Amino acid sequence: MERYYQPEIECASREEIIAIQNKKLVEQVKHVWENVPYYRKKMEEKGVTPDDIKSIEDLHKLPFLSKTDLRDAYPYGLLGVPLEDCVRIHSTSGTTGKRVVAFYTQDDIDMWDECCARAITAAGGTKEDVCQVSYGFGLFTGGAGLNGGSHKVGCLTIPMSSGNTERQIMFIRDLNATILCCTPSYAAYLGETMKEMGLSPEEIPLKAGIFGAEAWSEEMRRDIEKTLGIKAYDIYGLTELSGPGVSFECSAQQGMHINEDHFIAEIIDPDTGEVLPDGTQGELVFTSIDKKAFPMMRYRTKDICVLTREKCSCGRTHVRMAKPRGRSDDMLIIRGVNVFPSQIETVLMNNGYPANYQIIVDRKNNTDTFDVHVEMTPEMFTDNVGEIMERQKQLVDGLKSMLGIKAKVTLVAPKSIQRSEGKAVRVIDKRKI
Ligand code: DLL
């Protein structure tokens, strides 16, 4: 039986959702015009005033916001309320330049927690469950978001944070955790460790996992589901829009429902900015229509994905987004060809390898070099050079037919690639260093 946290909203008719969006958008544009001079200036430059925005049909008239705007306006330039009305900040894990700092009022946090509660409920969570939150706590939004959602649902919440894998497993077993929330790469690592401890899926009390914050393939999902004996649900979000729970998966596991009563999604052509029809791949753009402290108008996420409004078997009516293929800024251009790490992951996992790999790109003699280091499983590990060469060739061929270019594949010993407790680092692009 499908469970909903707020069925009246999650299963509302299309007309009801549009009515909510129209009303909230008009109010939000006024709020931003009056309180965020940075965005008002952008609107003025484009010749748009709040009077031009009468419904979601007019959304395309508004200017975009990008990460560059967020950096330019750092730290307070996009604040929509007096600082004394804010109760918290979170910040992104960006590696270069200024970090993005997002602000929240108490209402913004309640809305965010509700979005996460919808995700936990969609994964079968009730007040009878024990929910272990193993996303990082702190400036990262993963821990706080799922923690808040778990409280709303009424689960017994274990605010573990990431790291200390042995203790994670001890709590899962001793406290009978039924729901695990962490990054998919950490879930895979927990699974690997439990297997090494000789635990079979039946001995692990978990029944569901809510995994997100990074791109992961269907193959990786199947692998995690098998090792942990659970159903694995995807969850998506970004700090700029609150954190996890912007969208989440239901029992159908066919894309993530976007919480459309809070966020309007568009897909645009990343080069021209033109809005593309549903079903077309492009860059995901979001407008947060009721967040007051840090309102994002047409924010360009750089995530590449597809939207669908086809009816979902779970009964929810909110639009679904496909698993993002990756970020346009994670996309590698190698010898002129676009390569997403998730495509490489698919080839590796289809050939029986774990999701422990690293892509190293460099430029030598004006040509891009493309190396993929792939960890063998303990069962594959051998010192038979002929066998290793044969295996490497199989992967080179598989990658060639997926990507159209040739990679150099090196098989490495089990456990030699560093594990991640948060978002995994898959790519080392030495051309940028
Ligand atoms: O990663 C929020 C989050 C926490 C989401 C926990 C889900 C679970 P940021 O650190 O700001 O926020 O990173 C946001 O991560 O633009 C995507 O590129 C990527 N991302 C997030 N969820 C997914 C997902 C959090 N399910 C950026 N699949 C986003 C693919 C994802 N990529």
Side-chain angles (χ1 to χ4, degrees):
M1 191 196 64
E2 190 75 30
R3 288 202 179 88
Y4 313 99
Y5 183 68
Q6 289 162 314
E8 65 297 345
I9 297 281
E10 293 176 64
C11 304
S13 69
R14 207 60 242 143
E15 295 70 40
E16 285 169 316
I17 296 171
I18 290 173
I20 294 172
Q21 290 187 332
N22 284 341
K23 182 167 174 292
K24 288 190 180 180
L25 176 67
V26 170
E27 283 167 12
Q28 186 76 323
V29 171
K30 277 202 197 95
H31 168 67
V32 170
W33 175 266
E34 281 158 19
N35 296 293
V36 187
Y38 185 97
Y39 194 74
R40 180 183 180 135
K41 184 157 167 271
K42 280 193 142 239
M43 285 176 68
E44 283 167 348
E45 278 163 11
K46 218 172 169 234
V48 197
T49 70
D51 289 340
D52 297 312
I53 311 298
K54 301 206 162 55
S55 75
I56 55 170
E57 298 289 311
D58 300 318
L59 186 61
H60 68 97
K61 295 178 185 163
L62 291 170
F64 291 117
L65 277 174
S66 68
K67 202 135 197 152
T68 317
D69 290 305
L70 268 57
R71 292 208 177 106
D72 289 350
Y74 172 90
Y76 300 128
L78 287 162
L79 205 58
V81 297
L83 202 52
E84 70 249 34
D85 291 346
C86 296
V87 296
R88 203 194 296 163
I89 67 145
H90 282 282
S91 174
T92 56
S93 44
T95 45
T96 50
K98 292 275 187 209
R99 299 171 71 106
V100 168
V101 175
F103 298 82
Y104 305 72
T105 64
Q106 187 58 52
D107 284 348
D108 295 341
I109 287 187
D110 288 341
M111 177 277 270
W112 175 26
D113 288 350
E114 270 173 19
C115 288
C116 289
R118 290 180 193 176
I120 294 170
T121 310
T126 68
K127 65 193 289 289
E128 259 129 70
D129 281 291
V130 177
C131 181
Q132 180 152 321
V133 183
S134 305
Y135 287 108
F137 280 67
L139 288 173
F140 179 56
T141 54
L146 271 308
N147 193 71
S150 175
H151 277 229
K152 289 251 181 221
V153 174
C155 302
L156 173 62
T157 310
I158 312 179
M160 269 312 277
S161 198
S162 57
N164 203 335
T165 304
E166 310 268 291
R167 195 173 60 197
Q168 299 268 357
I169 297 172
M170 185 184 88
F171 272 138
I172 291 175
R173 298 185 70 205
D174 293 353
L175 299 176
N176 278 313
T178 46
I179 301 177
L180 173 66
C181 307
C182 62
T183 59
S185 46
Y186 195 47
Y189 179 41
L190 282 169
E192 184 185 6
T193 312
M194 290 194 218
K195 209 166 161 184
E196 280 167 13
M197 291 165 69
L199 291 173
S200 69
E202 298 73 47
E203 291 170 284
I204 304 168
L206 294 171
K207 64 174 192 191
I210 304 179
F211 306 135
E214 62 185 0
W216 53 310
S217 59
E218 281 303 327
E219 292 73 19
M220 188 159 171
R221 185 209 305 266
R222 281 197 289 277
D223 208 52
I224 296 173
E225 288 189 329
K226 200 162 124 227
T227 352
L228 292 176
I230 58 170
K231 188 157 174 166
Y233 297 81
D234 202 351
I235 183 164
Y236 168 90
L238 51 159
T239 314
E240 296 86 327
L241 294 176
S242 57
V246 170
S247 66
F248 62 88
E249 233 172 22
C250 60
S251 58
Q253 294 179 313
Q254 295 280 326
M256 294 177 270
H257 291 279
I258 294 171
N259 284 309
E260 282 192 283
D261 50 327
H262 303 299
F263 306 104
I264 304 181
E266 300 169 276
I267 292 283
I268 61 159
D269 177 326
D271 297 324
T272 63
E274 183 202 346
V275 180
L276 301 174
D278 289 349
T280 317
Q281 179 169 285
E283 181 180 343
L284 195 51
V285 170
F286 281 109
T287 301
S288 57
I289 45 179
D290 48 14
K291 252 163 41 83
K292 289 292 178 263
F294 199 63
M296 286 289 103
M297 309 306 287
R298 299 196 85 203
Y299 180 64
R300 295 185 59 159
T301 62
K302 297 211 164 160
D303 290 320
I304 303 295
C305 90
V306 180
L307 297 180
T308 175
R309 287 188 192 278
E310 272 168 36
K311 196 165 184 281
C312 183
S313 60
C314 78
R316 287 182 185 76
T317 44
H318 294 210
V319 68
R320 275 171 295 157
M321 57 182 268
K323 265 181 176 304
R325 259 189 110 176
R327 300 172 58 80
S328 56
D329 46 6
D330 278 354
M331 186 185 78
L332 291 158
I333 302 183
I334 306 174
R335 293 173 219 140
V337 175
N338 298 352
V339 174
F340 282 101
S342 57
Q343 293 173 293
I344 295 172
E345 184 174 302
T346 298
V347 174
L348 302 183
M349 300 205 74
N350 279 338
N351 282 284
Y353 291 84
N356 298 317
Y357 60 94
Q358 211 148 39
I359 304 159
I360 302 142
V361 191
D362 204 349
R363 183 166 287 139
K364 292 199 178 116
N365 302 326
N366 292 320
T367 310
D368 293 330
T369 59
F370 174 25
D371 290 274
V372 185
H373 289 183
V374 185
E375 224 180 77
M376 285 180 275
T377 60
E379 300 77 53
M380 289 173 184
F381 194 46
T382 169
D383 47 17
N384 180 336
V385 178
E387 199 181 318
I388 293 186
M389 300 280 277
E390 186 49 42
R391 281 191 165 277
Q392 288 181 166
K393 184 173 177 310
Q394 190 188 29
L395 288 181
V396 171
D397 293 346
L399 289 171
K400 176 93 201 289
S401 66
M402 168 70 93
L403 308 168
I405 52 167
K406 196 161 171 208
K408 178 170 170 241
V409 173
T410 309
L411 290 180
V412 299
K415 293 252 166 190
S416 56
I417 292 178
Q418 203 188 351
R419 300 293 185 267
S420 139
E421 292 167 354
K423 300 191 193 218
V425 180
R426 309 270 195 216
V427 180
I428 302 171
D429 193 342
K430 294 185 176 163
R431 297 171 304 183
K432 291 186 184 159
I433 298 171

